C-alpha cells in the first residue's frame, strides 16, 4: 500500500470517529451541560492519549527521538484548534446563527490550503482543487435547511472536531473582552475558520518533522485543557458539579473524548502522507454520514430532502476526484 492511500485511510477513519462523536454528543447533551461536558471530554482526551502513548512506548523497539520544535508546534495547534477554534465557532453560532457559522467552517480547508502553500510550499493540482470546491459546495447543500439563515435559529451545530463547547463561552475573561470587539459575523467566522486552519498547518508541519501523532495529540490535548482551566470561571464549583452530574452523561462525554482524540490521532497521521487541506476536507464530510444516521437512529424529523441527496452526491464525487486523480 502506498503512503498516499494510507493517508486517505487514516483520514477516512478520522471521519468515522468524528461522526461517532457527533452522534454521541446528540445523546449526551440532553444529560449534561455542554460546558461541563467539554471539561470531561477534554480530560478524556488527555487520559486516553496518555494511555495510548504509554502502550506505544511499551511496544516500540526504538527510543523516542526528541524534537523540541515539533513539540511546541503540537502544543500551539492544541491552543488554536482545541480551544480557540471551538470558542470562536460557538460565539459565532450564538451571535449570528448556525448557518453563517457553518459556512465559514466549511471554508476551513481553503484557508488550510492557502496557508500550507504559503508556509510549507504545499501545492494542489487542478483536479484536486476542483474536487475540493465540489466537496465544499456539496457540504453546503447537505448542511442547508429551510429557515436556516435566521439569526437566532435553534438548530444545534457541532464544530468540525465533534467536541462540545468550552465553558469559557459563558463566563470567561476572554469572552468579556472579545464581546466588545467581535461584533461582526465576518470576524468571528473567519476567526473560527482560521484558528482551525492554523491548528491544522501546525500539526501537519510538526508530524512531517516528527512522526509522533499519538504524542502530538496528547500534547495538543494538554494545551487545550490547560487553556480551558485557565480561562474558565467557577473552577471551585467544578468538582461539586461533577459529583452531582448525571453519571450516564459523564460517561457519554468521556466516550466522546476517546472518540475525538482517536480521530485527531488519525488526522495527524494522515497529514504526514496527504495534503493538509485534503485531510481536513475529508474529516469535514461528517454531515454526509450524520444526517442519514440521525434519521435511522434518532428518527430525525427533518428527514432527507432532495437537496441533501444532491449535496451528498456532489460531496462524494468531489472526494472521489481527489482520491482517484
Amino acid at each position: 500500500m502506498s503512503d498516499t492511500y494510507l493517508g486517505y485511510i487514516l483520514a477516512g477513519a478520522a471521519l468515522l470517529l468524528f461522526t461517532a462523536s457527533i452522534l454521541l454528543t446528540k445523546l449526551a447533551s440532553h444529560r449534561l451541560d455542554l460546558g461541563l461536558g467539554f471539561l470531561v471530554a477534554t480530560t478524556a482526551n488527555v487520559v486516553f492519549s496518555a494511555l495510548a502513548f504509554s502502550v506505544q512506548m511499551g511496544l516500540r523497539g526504538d527510543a523516542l527521538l526528541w524534537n523540541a520544535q515539533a513539540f511546541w508546534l503540537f502544543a500551539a495547534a492544541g491552543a488554536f484548534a482545541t480551544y480557540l477554534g471551538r470558542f470562536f465557532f460557538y460565539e459565532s453560532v450564538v451571535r449570528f446563527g448556525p448557518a453563517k457559522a457553518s459556512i465559514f467552517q466549511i471554508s476551513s480547508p481553503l484557508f488550510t490550503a492557502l496557508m500550507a502553500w504559503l508556509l510549507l510550499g504545499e501545492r494542489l493540482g487542478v483536479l484536486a482543487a476542483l474536487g475540493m470546491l465540489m466537496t465544499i459546495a456539496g457540504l453546503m447543500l447537505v448542511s442547508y435547511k429551510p429557515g436556516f439563515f435566521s439569526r437566532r435559529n435553534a438548530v444545534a451545530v457541532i464544530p468540525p472536531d465533534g467536541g462540545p463547547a468550552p465553558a469559557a463561552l459563558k463566563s470567561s475573561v476572554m469572552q468579556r473582552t472579545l464581546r466588545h470587539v467581535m461584533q461582526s459575523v465576518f470576524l468571528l467566522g473567519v476567526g473560527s475558520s482560521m484558528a482551525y486552519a492554523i491548528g491544522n498547518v501546525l500539526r501537519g508541519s510538526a508530524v512531517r518533522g516528527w512522526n509522533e501523532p499519538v504524542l502530538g495529540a496528547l500534547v495538543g490535548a494538554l494545551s487545550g485543557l490547560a487553556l480551558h482551566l485557565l480561562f474558565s470561571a467557577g473552577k471551585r464549583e467544578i468538582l461539586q458539579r461533577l459529583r452531582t452530574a448525571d453519571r450516564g452523561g459523564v460517561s457519554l462525554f468521556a466516550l466522546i473524548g476517546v472518540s475525538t482524540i482517536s480521530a485527531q490521532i488519525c488526522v495527524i497521521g494522515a497529514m504526514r502522507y496527504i495534503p493538509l487541506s485534503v485531510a481536513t476536507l475529508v474529516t469535514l464530510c461528517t454531515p454526509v454520514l450524520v444526517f442519514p444516521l440521525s434519521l435511522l437512529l434518532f428518527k430525525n424529523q427533518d428527514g432527507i430532502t432532495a437537496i441533501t441527496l444532491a449535496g451528498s452526491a456532489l460531496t462524494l464525487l468531489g472526494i472521489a476526484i481527489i482520491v482517484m486523480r
Side-chain angles (χ1 to χ4, degrees):
M1 179 186 299
S2 68
D3 288 345
T4 300
Y5 281 109
L6 175 59
Y8 287 127
I9 290 172
L10 289 171
L15 170 63
L16 295 177
L17 288 164
F18 278 135
T19 299
S21 71
I22 291 173
L23 295 174
L24 286 170
T25 302
K26 290 179 181 291
L27 292 174
S29 60
H30 298 294
R31 307 183 66 171
L32 194 67
D33 172 73
L34 282 177
L36 187 60
F38 175 84
L39 175 61
V40 174
T42 309
T43 303
N45 286 167
V46 173
V47 173
F48 183 79
S49 55
L51 289 174
F53 181 64
S54 298
V55 172
Q56 181 189 37
M57 289 301 295
L59 295 177
R60 69 191 300 169
D62 56 337
L64 174 69
L65 298 178
W66 181 248
N67 187 322
Q69 180 182 14
F71 175 88
W72 290 112
L73 286 174
F74 279 128
F80 277 101
T82 304
Y83 188 81
L84 285 178
R86 291 183 190 179
F87 174 82
F88 283 121
F89 178 79
Y90 277 97
E91 191 75 8
S92 61
V93 169
V94 170
R95 291 175 181 274
F96 303 107
K100 294 177 181 178
S102 297
I103 288 174
F104 280 102
Q105 286 309 307
I106 292 172
S107 70
S108 181
L110 297 180
F111 286 107
T112 302
L114 178 62
M115 294 180 65
W117 172 57
L118 292 174
L119 300 177
L120 304 179
E122 185 175 278
R123 298 179 182 273
L124 294 175
V126 175
L127 281 179
L130 176 62
M132 281 188 63
L133 293 176
M134 291 176 64
T135 302
I136 290 171
L139 288 172
M140 292 179 67
L141 289 176
V142 170
S143 301
Y144 173 77
K145 293 181 181 180
F148 202 44
F149 285 92
S150 61
R151 177 180 171 88
R152 295 188 177 277
N153 196 291
V155 178
V157 178
I158 306 296
D161 55 3
L169 289 175
K170 297 181 179 179
S171 55
S172 71
V173 174
M174 182 180 293
Q175 185 201 31
R176 290 195 295 272
T177 302
L178 290 176
R179 184 179 290 124
H180 300 291
V181 296
M182 293 265 185
Q183 299 295 329
S184 165
V185 63
F186 177 79
L187 291 177
L188 283 173
V190 170
S192 175
S193 188
M194 285 293 292
Y196 279 113
I198 292 171
N200 290 329
V201 172
L202 291 173
R203 285 170 175 163
S205 177
V207 77
R208 291 177 182 180
W210 195 32
N211 190 19
E212 297 290 345
V214 178
L215 179 57
L218 170 60
V219 172
L222 282 168
S223 177
L225 179 60
L227 285 173
H228 172 75
L229 293 175
L230 179 63
F231 289 107
S232 294
K235 299 180 184 67
R236 297 178 180 178
E237 292 79 27
I238 289 177
L239 290 178
Q240 179 60 34
R241 292 173 63 196
L242 283 173
R243 291 192 189 99
T244 59
D246 180 87
R247 296 295 95 186
V250 171
S251 298
L252 284 172
F253 273 110
L255 189 57
I256 290 168
V258 172
S259 179
T260 54
I261 197 64
S262 299
Q264 288 174 28
I265 291 171
C266 291
V267 172
I268 293 171
M271 287 176 173
R272 183 174 174 85
Y273 304 114
I274 60 177
L276 307 186
S277 54
V278 173
T280 304
L281 184 64
V282 172
T283 61
L284 274 177
C285 292
T286 51
V288 176
L289 300 179
V290 169
F291 284 176
L293 288 173
S294 294
L295 179 63
L296 178 65
L297 298 175
F298 308 126
K299 308 301 180 184
N300 193 318
Q301 297 300 314
D302 295 327
I304 298 177
T305 65
I307 294 178
T308 305
L309 293 174
S312 299
L314 188 59
T315 299
L316 293 174
L317 179 59
I319 293 294
I321 290 175
I322 294 172
V323 174
M324 301 304 293
R325 72 186 190 280

